[in-house]
Amino acid sequence: MSVKCKIIENTDLLIKYFKLKRINMNLKLELIEKLNIINTIQNVDDFLKINRNLHNRSNILEIRRHSRRVEKLIILEHCYSLEHKEFLENLHSYLKNAESNARISYIRISLQKILPASEVCPAIDGLDHLYETRWLPRYGKKQADHIFIWQCVWLVLRVWSKPAIKLFDRVLKAFGSRA
Amino acid sequence: MLGKLEELVLLGLMRAGTDVMASDVYEKIHDVLGSKNTSFGAVFTTLDRLVDKKFVTRKELAPSEATKGRVRRIYTISGEGRLALTASVKVTADMVIAAGLAGGVA
């Protein structure tokens, strides 16, 4: 499997890159820091300017999807003011949040497809209201996500249980009358 | 005759007030029941069932920025709903007294 190599110039472009990637449940990304090197490709003037040299670091990050290396990112950061460690921590928390939000969005989209059209908007509105005002402040993001998903499952089962029982009843009656 | 969940939802709706969302009713029920799980789906579908029985009135608010562009449903208990709830609670209370559980409950 060939590994793509991509050069990204700064933090903003890196965030934009991940937004374009549309991280979702099917595309679980893992970011692994490979190397932290000082750029050696510099001209003599740059080399002599020590301050500038310190900021001319490039980070090589690997993206793994389901533990398989799929892409290598070379991030050239010429002007970021954050420390290297802080920058990476921000990036990791961004990815974690994006993945978690994507999971909830994925559930919302699934609900829109599963529930009857008339019930979708009020149901999602109610669940979102509970998520934001009750579950998130009380239990934190991880558990709130978990509760949200389970409440969605129960909602779908509740909404479809009545039509399902009716259908089952009709089928029983149809076969019963033939017998 | 009301079912137990219908009774609970009507009581929750009375506690929550007028023009409230299904999530507000769910919160009121959950606050009282505590750890016993009542799913939002159960409250949501029961409210719709009560609307069909005309015990609850339903209004739909037009999409706005506050609702993130979604239609919002708000519910209020109707006069018939109050009567049905009173009758249902009375029957339960009478049965409790008849079964000799009144002292235990009190």
Side-chain angles (χ1 to χ4, degrees):
Chain A
M1 191 178 170
S2 64
V3 178
K4 283 189 266 175
C5 194
K6 193 171 175 64
I7 296 174
I8 295 176
E9 290 81 12
N10 56 48
T11 320
D12 290 341
L13 285 176
L14 185 66
I15 300 295
K16 203 174 171 184
Y17 167 82
F18 280 110
K19 275 182 181 165
L20 286 172
K21 274 274 175 192
R22 288 168 189 249
I23 304 153
N24 59 34
M25 279 175 84
N26 298 325
L27 183 70
K28 194 172 182 184
L29 297 176
E30 201 183 342
L31 200 63
I32 293 166
E33 190 186 357
K34 288 301 285 183
L35 280 167
N36 176 23
I37 55 167
I38 307 279
N39 253 350
T40 50
I41 311 158
Q42 292 164 353
N43 56 40
V44 181
D45 289 333
D46 278 352
F47 186 70
L48 290 172
K49 289 172 188 170
I50 300 162
N51 287 335
R52 211 171 148 190
N53 191 16
L54 278 173
H55 288 288
N56 264 353
R57 284 190 300 198
S58 64
N59 302 310
I60 298 183
L61 302 170
E62 241 181 43
I63 292 186
R64 291 186 178 199
R65 190 187 303 161
H66 304 300
S67 304
R68 294 182 76 177
R69 192 169 65 169
V70 290
E71 206 156 29
K72 191 192 264 183
L73 299 182
I74 301 174
I75 303 153
L76 303 173
E77 270 291 355
H78 291 291
C79 52
Y80 68 87
S81 55
L82 291 171
E83 283 299 311
H84 172 67
K85 203 179 168 186
E86 198 182 339
F87 161 72
L88 278 177
E89 272 172 10
N90 284 347
L91 191 60
H92 278 282
S93 71
Y94 168 80
L95 274 182
K96 213 175 168 184
N97 270 338
E99 199 180 297
S100 176
N101 290 339
R103 199 179 298 135
I104 295 292
S105 306
Y106 187 79
I107 296 288
R108 276 196 204 105
I109 293 165
S110 308
L111 266 187
Q112 283 173 3
K113 288 180 179 170
I114 296 168
L115 287 178
S118 59
E119 307 294 319
V120 170
C121 277
I124 295 179
D125 184 42
L127 282 168
D128 268 354
H129 185 256
L130 283 170
Y131 180 81
E132 282 160 17
T133 60
R134 195 178 176 94
W135 300 327
L136 199 58
R138 276 194 191 188
Y139 307 113
K141 183 140 183 69
K142 199 178 172 187
Q143 204 164 346
D145 285 1
H146 187 75
I147 295 169
F148 185 90
I149 292 165
W150 274 107
Q151 290 287 351
C152 287
V153 171
W154 283 115
L155 178 72
V156 171
L157 289 176
R158 275 274 173 180
V159 168
W160 283 112
S161 63
K162 209 176 165 183
I165 290 166
K166 272 187 184 172
L167 182 73
F168 186 68
D169 199 36
R170 273 190 191 178
V171 171
L172 270 186
K173 274 179 187 169
F175 281 100
S177 63
R178 276 184 195 177
Chain B
M1 193 68 177
L2 293 171
K4 192 74 187 166
L5 190 59
E6 288 174 333
E7 203 178 291
L8 276 174
V9 169
L10 280 178
L11 284 168
L13 193 56
M14 277 190 77
R15 265 193 78 195
T18 54
D19 292 341
V20 290
M21 290 164 63
S23 53
D24 297 323
V25 180
Y26 169 80
E27 280 182 4
K28 295 291 173 201
I29 296 171
H30 198 266
D31 285 344
V32 175
L33 291 184
S35 59
K36 288 175 193 168
N37 283 328
T38 312
S39 73
F40 172 74
V43 175
F44 185 76
T45 49
T46 307
L47 275 168
D48 278 350
R49 202 162 58 240
L50 289 167
V51 170
D52 294 339
K53 290 180 179 178
K54 293 179 180 164
F55 292 153
V56 172
T57 55
R58 182 176 69 197
K59 275 189 251 172
E60 287 197 345
L61 300 180
S64 64
E65 262 187 49
T67 62
K68 293 177 186 169
R70 299 189 192 112
V71 174
R72 179 167 283 179
R73 272 186 197 166
I74 50 171
Y75 302 88
T76 307
I77 189 165
S78 67
E80 284 175 60
R82 279 174 195 272
L83 285 175
L85 182 63
T86 313
S88 179
V89 170
K90 194 177 176 303
V91 168
T92 310
D94 289 347
M95 286 300 286
V96 166
I97 293 164
L101 292 169
V105 170

